[in-house]
Amino acid sequence: KYVGEVPSDFRVWTRRPELLYREHAGRTGPPRKFPRLKVKNNPPVEVRRIARYSPLFRRDDWQTYHIKDGRKGPMVWKAKRLCVWLRNENGLPTQPHHLVVAYNVLEPETVKYFQSNAPQNTPVETLLLVAFSRWMIERMFEDGKGELGLDHFEVHKYQSIRRHLILSCVSYLFPALTVCQLRTTTASLVGVWTRGGRCTQTLAQMISQTLVRTQRRNVAAECSHR
């Protein structure tokens, strides 16, 4: 299941086209592939024209959605959803898809179009949250390169690159740990990972208890210094 942004000239059907499953009686000529579209079907339409002219799309009112709180404040968009059908590699209609048209409340000229194959009962809020969640991935790489040295590997062997990536990923999973605590955790886990094994519950509890004791000691020391 996915939600993907599409360009404004992306073409879909607003009604499922009818199919022809066998040849008409009395037709001559080379055999044709079936099923195929009937000749009298309406062609697929660009999504920007659907948003502007389609009676089905204009039937519902725009709804306001508070998607999330971003760096520049709350992200508020108005959106509509319509059930559409896409064209597969054989030119035939696919299963029903969502077409979501949204524009920014503060910048009405910024219009985005999304399509999704999620179940039909999926809320629009969920579709919009997934559609606008790409920044979380970009933030992860930004933090990894800027704070954790993800792009500082100056090695040539696969094993060295693998060790560097493991250290960077573990560092991102434990943002509240100090370098000493991270080294304690990594030293206990890397040996298991490189041998193809998994961390057992006993080992995880032992590491957790060690980190908790260290963190409590650090908190007490910080309070004492203050």
Side-chain angles (χ1 to χ4, degrees), residues 46-184:
E46 295 179 352
V47 291
R48 59 186 172 189
R49 295 188 175 276
I50 294 177
R52 187 173 300 177
Y53 304 113
S54 173
L56 293 175
F57 187 80
R58 291 184 295 176
R59 182 175 54 188
D60 298 328
D61 297 329
W62 292 95
Q63 301 295 327
T64 304
Y65 298 96
H66 176 203
I67 301 174
K68 61 184 178 182
D69 293 324
R71 291 183 177 181
K72 300 181 181 179
M75 294 182 59
V76 181
W77 289 65
K78 288 195 173 185
K80 281 187 183 184
R81 171 178 46 191
L82 183 66
C83 180
V84 297
W85 287 261
L86 279 60
R87 187 202 299 263
N88 63 14
E89 63 275 6
N90 298 320
L92 302 178
T94 61
Q95 62 178 357
H97 282 63
H98 301 274
L99 171 64
V100 179
V101 182
Y103 70 89
N104 195 318
V105 173
L106 301 179
E107 301 176 1
E109 67 278 3
T110 304
V111 182
K112 291 183 177 293
Y113 306 91
F114 304 98
Q115 61 98 358
S116 172
N117 63 346
Q120 292 300 304
N121 58 353
T122 304
V124 178
E125 295 90 338
T126 303
L127 298 176
L128 290 175
L129 180 61
V130 176
F132 287 96
S133 62
R134 182 177 58 182
W135 72 274
M136 303 173 70
I137 301 174
E138 296 173 353
R139 178 64 184 272
M140 184 193 72
F141 283 108
E142 181 182 357
D143 292 342
K145 294 179 179 179
E147 304 293 337
L148 306 177
L150 179 63
D151 57 345
H152 292 171
F153 58 93
E154 298 180 0
V155 294
H156 300 284
K157 295 184 179 181
Y158 170 76
Q159 187 69 12
S160 302
I161 296 177
R162 183 181 180 185
R163 289 173 179 172
H164 180 79
L165 293 179
I166 288 176
L167 287 172
S168 301
C169 293
V170 173
S171 301
Y172 198 87
L173 290 175
F174 300 98
L177 299 184
T178 63
V179 175
C180 181
Q181 295 170 342
L182 178 61
R183 182 189 179 283
T184 301

Side-chain angles (χ1 to χ4, degrees), residues 23-34 36:
E23 194 61 83
H24 293 292
R27 180 186 179 277
T28 59
R32 300 187 296 183
K33 293 183 179 180
F34 292 94
R36 59 187 299 116

